[in-house]
């Protein structure tokens, strides 16, 4: 999301551009994988940085949060020049957020008035938090996809708890990046997945 910023599994908060989950668990699927020695010997941080640089001209994104077998929220938006706009849908109800740091606005009704956000704002660059992992390792490298496990402090992703979180990042041949991780919420398994797609020529995001 991304940057990935905290939201509750049932009622995502306004800052949930990339659909992150408030939970203390780590990505069990990612943590259980064991990269080969040859893969781990590569320079994943540099390759990941190059993929992120490919999004610098603007990108669109779509995030999905599921708990158990239920989709609890989705977010679809775009980021251009440090500004971001996205539609967050939870339980069939949608709101639109627009962030032009240091300000942000919310539109709770379609074509309704915009209200300035007071307090914590949606991120203007939802992918920013993902650009600075504390550790990385290559899981697989194929012509059509590079898969990297990247570790972040929970707070960087807007999660509760102190355990580090591993996010599986998949870089496709078209330059898109998928960020996914899992966490335990109560007795259920929750999954956050966001796809970032590079896109040039996007219209600028302006203040309402």
């Amino acid at each position: 999301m991304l940057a990935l910023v905290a939201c509750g599994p049932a009622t995502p908060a306004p800052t949930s551009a990339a659909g992150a989950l408030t939970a203390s668990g780590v990505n069990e699927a990612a943590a259980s994988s064991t990269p080969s020695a040859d893969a781990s010997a590569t320079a994943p941080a540099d390759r990941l940085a190059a993929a992120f640089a490919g999004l610098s001209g603007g990108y669109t994104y779509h995030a999905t949060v599921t708990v158990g077998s239920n989709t609890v929220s989705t977010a679809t938006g775009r980021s251009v020049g440090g500004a971001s706009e996205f539609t967050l849908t939870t339980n069939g109800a949608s709101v639109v957020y627009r962030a032009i740091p240091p300000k942000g606005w919310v539109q709770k009704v379609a074509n309704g008035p915009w209200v300035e956000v007071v307090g914590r704002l949606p991120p203007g660059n939802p992918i920013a938090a993902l650009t600075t992992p504390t550790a990385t390792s290559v899981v697989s490298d194929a012509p059509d996809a590079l898969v990297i496990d990247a570790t972040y402090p929970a707070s960087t992703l807007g999660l509760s708890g102190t355990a580090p979180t591993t996010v599986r990042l998949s870089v496709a041949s078209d330059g898109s990046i998928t960020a996914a991780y899992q966490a335990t919420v109560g007795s259920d398994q929750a999954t956050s997945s966001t796809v970032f797609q590079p896109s040039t020529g996007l219209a600028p995001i302006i203040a309402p």
Side-chain angles (χ1 to χ4, degrees), residues 9 22-23 28 66-70 183-191:
T22 299
E28 295 175 358
T66 60
V67 177
S69 60
N70 299 316
T184 300
V185 178
S187 59
D188 294 316
Q189 188 76 2
T191 301

Side-chain angles (χ1 to χ4, degrees), residues 73-100:
S73 67
T74 62
T76 299
R78 61 195 181 103
S79 180
V80 186
S84 179
E85 181 176 74
F86 65 96
T87 300
L88 178 66
T89 302
T90 306
N91 298 326
S94 298
V95 293
V96 181
Y97 293 94
R98 186 176 295 176
I100 306 176

